[in-house]
Amino acid sequence: MPEDPTLLGLPPLGVVAVSVVVACAAIVQGTVGIGFGIVLVPALALLAPTALPATPLLLAVALTALTARRERSAIDRDGFPALLAGRLVGTVIAVVVLLAVTEALLEVLFGTVILGVVALNVARPRVPVTRTTRLLAGTGSGLFATTAAIGGPPVALLYQHRPGPEVRSTLAALFFIGTLLSLAGLSVAGRLQLDHALLALVLLPALLAGFAVSRPLRRWLDGGWLRLAVLAFAAIGGVLAIARGLGG
């Protein structure tokens, strides 16, 4: 029997609590096409910061594959190559950042990215959808995803006025491939370990359950209040993560 019964610092009750958060995050993602990382990362930043960003990214592989398959016919095929090229560039930049920062600075980085994501979602500036903006959004997605496991907002902001199925499917297809790139980058940076995969495996049933109920719940969830609740939760988590990083 191992001396330490925790998994990445999470005792059994902590795993149960994170499982509930994962299920809620999957419901949000399956309902509006974005939000998995925004919900899950602040919780992990407080409960098990060493699980970041690898464990959410491992879970995102399964979630994005399910989402992309559900509405694959609506993917923006013309703009996808530019998004993917940007995602690769952003991942490379993120690896350089991860190799240079300490654990305490990484917590500050998590919190800063979370607050930046909240600010983008509140401001929601209208951005023209062009090859250049797709490339920039993809780069931001790769940078945010690999450093803090929240890669959706830059692309979601760009596609905010597109039809819902196109947004959900394009994001999911990009994140499925991009998450694999991010995990490869984390491996290079020495921030992907077996315990990350074990925790993701333990949390996978909660993810599948949340995604399964997301479709029937879609018509009952008002996007307005749900979005505000998610952003408020994320903002609180971001502030606390920065405070703990600075305190460390």
Side-chain angles (χ1 to χ4, degrees), residues 112-236:
T112 302
V113 169
I114 292 168
L115 292 180
V117 164
V118 171
L120 281 176
N121 277 273
V122 171
R124 300 183 76 177
R126 190 179 186 97
V127 182
V129 182
T130 66
R131 180 179 178 81
T132 299
T133 56
R134 287 187 180 103
L135 184 63
L136 291 173
T139 301
S141 177
L143 177 60
F144 286 4
T146 310
T147 55
I150 306 179
V155 182
L157 180 69
L158 183 64
Y159 280 77
Q160 62 183 304
H161 299 293
R162 295 296 185 94
E166 181 180 348
V167 174
R168 289 190 295 268
S169 59
T170 301
L171 285 171
L174 175 65
F175 297 159
F176 177 71
I177 300 174
T179 298
L180 295 177
L181 292 173
S182 294
L183 288 170
L186 289 179
S187 181
V188 171
R191 296 186 179 272
L192 179 60
Q193 303 168 6
L194 178 59
D195 280 354
H196 293 125
L198 291 176
L199 180 57
L201 189 61
V202 170
L203 297 173
L204 184 59
L207 181 147
L208 295 176
F211 185 79
V213 302
S214 65
R215 174 172 280 184
L217 287 178
R218 189 176 295 173
R219 63 175 179 165
W220 300 105
L221 293 175
D222 172 26
W225 70 260
L226 179 62
R227 174 174 169 270
L228 290 176
V230 167
L231 291 178
F233 175 80
I236 293 170

Side-chain angles (χ1 to χ4, degrees), residues 100-115:
V101 300
T102 63
E103 291 297 329
L105 284 177
L106 193 58
E107 284 201 57
V108 175
L109 178 62
F110 292 149
T112 302
V113 169
I114 292 168
L115 292 180

